[in-house]
Amino acid sequence: MKKILSYAGFVGPALFFFILIQIIPFVMGVYYSFTSWNGISSTIEWVGLDNYKKIFTDDEKFFDSFLFTTKFMFAAVAISNIIGFSFALLLNSALKTRNLLRTAFFIPNVIGGLLLGFIWQFIFVRGFAAIGEITGIAFFQQAWLGDANTAFWGIVIVFAWQISGYMMVIYVAALQGVDTSLLEAARIDGANAFTLLTKMIIPLILPAFTICFFLTISMAFKIFDLNLSLTGGGPFNSTQSVAINIYQEAFTNNNYGLGSAKSILFFLVVAIFTTLQVMFTKKREVEA
């Protein structure tokens, strides 16, 4: 009984608030997804699977936003992890300024998404235009947020700029845990830098890749504030993420039931993607 009370004292408060803030709203969302509630009225009409039928038969915008979000996820995950891992390799070496550089690379992660989006919106619209006018370089003269293709890559750039430092910290921690005697033995046997990286270092820190891929996939899928402040889903809804589509459906169109149904489908897709990714990378992990 003492052990039970002790565990309850430590775990109980966190478990209580987790249930209150996460589990109960999720269960309520599942219930509302089977209704036509507008989010305001006291009358809630049960409609069964009608919301889900409407999504699959009469909601092209939702699937367009899903396509955009999926494309964005693949691009953002790849670029963020490549940059983060590259920074980690660089800053794991004996650089005198490595602590300063680690801090500098991590700082963008602590800036809020809305603020970051507005800052980069100014850079794309005003800063790039000014540089393009002075230098005449076509890269800076493009309407970065006014064209669907460049707006897509603009969001990818900002997301990667924000998240790469966070991924770098995880990779640095993993690299510092690698047994240097193994690397030294491989060098003595004639392994070059590329072989060490691909055959020794990466396999030994695969748990870090599992964590970083999981985090970046979930973050990229759930992108909202950065997307909202940078493009607002434009131009012509070409960069509208699933999260923005759900938000507009529930709180702008007052279709709370339909918005809840979309959020449940979104949850299932993200859960499937992240579960498959974890299973795939976990199978390839090795022990030193």
Side-chain angles (χ1 to χ4, degrees), residues 200-219:
M200 297 287 293
I201 295 174
I202 290 179
L204 288 172
I205 65 167
L206 267 181
F209 281 96
T210 301
I211 295 169
C212 289
F213 285 162
F214 175 83
L215 291 174
T216 48
I217 287 173
S218 59
M219 289 177 182

Side-chain angles (χ1 to χ4, degrees), residues 165-182:
Y166 185 30
M167 300 302 108
M168 175 201 69
V169 172
I170 298 173
Y171 286 128
V172 166
L175 288 171
Q176 290 180 342
V178 174
D179 189 350
T180 55
S181 63
L182 294 174

Side-chain angles (χ1 to χ4, degrees), residues 235-252:
F236 307 108
N237 294 323
S238 60
T239 62
Q240 185 185 77
S241 67
V242 177
I244 290 181
N245 181 276
I246 293 171
Y247 173 82
Q248 290 180 346
E249 190 69 67
F251 300 107
T252 302

Side-chain angles (χ1 to χ4, degrees), residues 19 22-34 264:
I19 293 172
Q22 296 286 343
I23 302 301
I24 293 177
F26 178 79
V27 174
M28 292 175 66
V30 174
Y31 167 72
Y32 289 136
S33 70
F34 296 104
I264 297 302

Side-chain angles (χ1 to χ4, degrees), residues 66-82 152-153 156 159 213 216-217 220-221 273 277:
F66 234 120
L67 179 62
F68 163 78
T69 306
T70 304
K71 288 165 56 182
F72 169 79
M73 184 272 295
F74 281 112
V77 168
I79 294 172
S80 299
N81 281 281
I82 290 172
F152 170 83
W153 288 110
V156 172
F159 180 87
F213 285 162
T216 48
I217 287 173
F221 260 126
F273 260 91
Q277 171 264 311

